[in-house]
Amino acid sequence: MEKGPELFGEFHEEVLGKEPVPVEYDPLLQQLESTAETREDETLTEQLETLKEDCIRYIETILRLAVFSKRLSYDPERYRESVQNIDELRRRTHNVVIDDVNMISRAFLKRGLDNRWREQFSSRESIEEWAIHIALGTLSRELIPEAAAA
Amino acid sequence: MISNITIQALEYVTALATVYLDPRNKEKIKARDTLFTQLKERVPNKSDQEIRSWALGVTQGFLTKD
């Protein structure tokens, strides 16, 4: 099941008292990028870059939805309208990420490369989870030099 | 209920994503930096890099329940 606005209320632990799990660059993405780089395959490299951007666009909408849910909860009318709009955008960006993953999988197959990695993403939820790891790992690598070196 | 510090971390990471997608937009960069300053006030005992890493980790925990 996808994360809807009603689920965001479940995250309620005190975050200051404990360290979160560190964000790491996604290992499968790294492997796919390495394959594209070794082959000097510009098309595949561009498709992977597009996937990263679309994953970031996707989590941006999820996070905006979460923040709006919190910030506008005092104003039911504005809340309903804003959340509906962002939720629709979230659904669309999720579909774009799924299209990206399918395109990359087909590109691997077309080149005679192993595309069995696609089998682990059999549901929308599993692609959502991967998209979150790709997006946060990419942002982390941009911001934190140690993550880039990993 | 989500704590305010979590919301601040989520807002900051949202701004990071926004700037990644539109890196030359000065207003978005300014908004990101303002959110970072506000977050820093809430977590004064951490370095800038630690705060960035912490905010990303909190967001990961929120989104994936890791």
Side-chain angles (χ1 to χ4, degrees), chain B residues 15 18-19 22-34:
Chain B
T18 303
V19 170
D22 190 6
R24 290 182 186 167
N25 188 314
K26 287 179 183 169
E27 279 186 21
K28 289 175 182 175
I29 291 170
K30 194 176 167 188
R32 175 202 63 191
D33 294 345
T34 301

Side-chain angles (χ1 to χ4, degrees), chain A residues 12-68:
Chain A
H12 53 76
E13 61 194 302
E14 181 51 61
V15 291
L16 275 176
K18 67 173 200 177
E19 288 300 316
V21 176
V23 171
E24 290 174 358
Y25 200 71
D26 184 80
L28 175 57
L29 176 66
Q30 191 149 30
Q31 188 188 319
L32 301 182
E33 286 182 324
S34 173
T35 301
E37 193 183 329
T38 305
R39 292 171 53 89
E40 296 180 1
D41 190 325
E42 284 180 21
T43 305
L44 210 47
T45 300
E46 280 173 22
Q47 287 175 334
L48 289 164
E49 280 301 314
T50 300
L51 172 66
K52 286 196 284 189
E53 280 190 17
D54 288 335
C55 287
I56 288 173
R57 197 166 283 117
Y58 177 51
I59 70 150
E60 186 195 23
T61 61
I62 299 177
L63 293 172
R64 279 174 59 200
L65 190 56
V67 171
F68 264 64

Side-chain angles (χ1 to χ4, degrees), chain B residues 10-66:
Chain B
L10 300 183
E11 282 182 317
Y12 172 59
V13 175
T14 308
L16 289 179
T18 303
V19 170
Y20 184 93
L21 296 168
D22 190 6
R24 290 182 186 167
N25 188 314
K26 287 179 183 169
E27 279 186 21
K28 289 175 182 175
I29 291 170
K30 194 176 167 188
R32 175 202 63 191
D33 294 345
T34 301
L35 286 165
F36 183 73
T37 303
Q38 290 168 355
L39 201 53
K40 216 172 156 176
E41 285 166 7
R42 297 289 303 273
V43 198
N45 54 340
K46 287 182 186 285
S47 70
D48 289 3
Q49 291 294 48
E50 284 172 335
I51 292 170
R52 290 187 183 104
S53 179
W54 173 83
L56 286 165
V58 166
T59 304
Q60 179 175 254
F62 174 77
L63 292 176
T64 66
K65 310 293 183 281
D66 277 353

Side-chain angles (χ1 to χ4, degrees), chain A residues 102-120:
Chain A
N102 288 334
M103 192 188 299
I104 292 165
S105 173
R106 282 196 300 271
F108 266 65
L109 191 63
K110 195 175 166 188
R111 288 159 173 76
L113 298 168
D114 187 354
N115 75 335
R116 280 175 296 177
W117 53 266
R118 176 66 182 85
E119 292 168 9
Q120 62 189 290

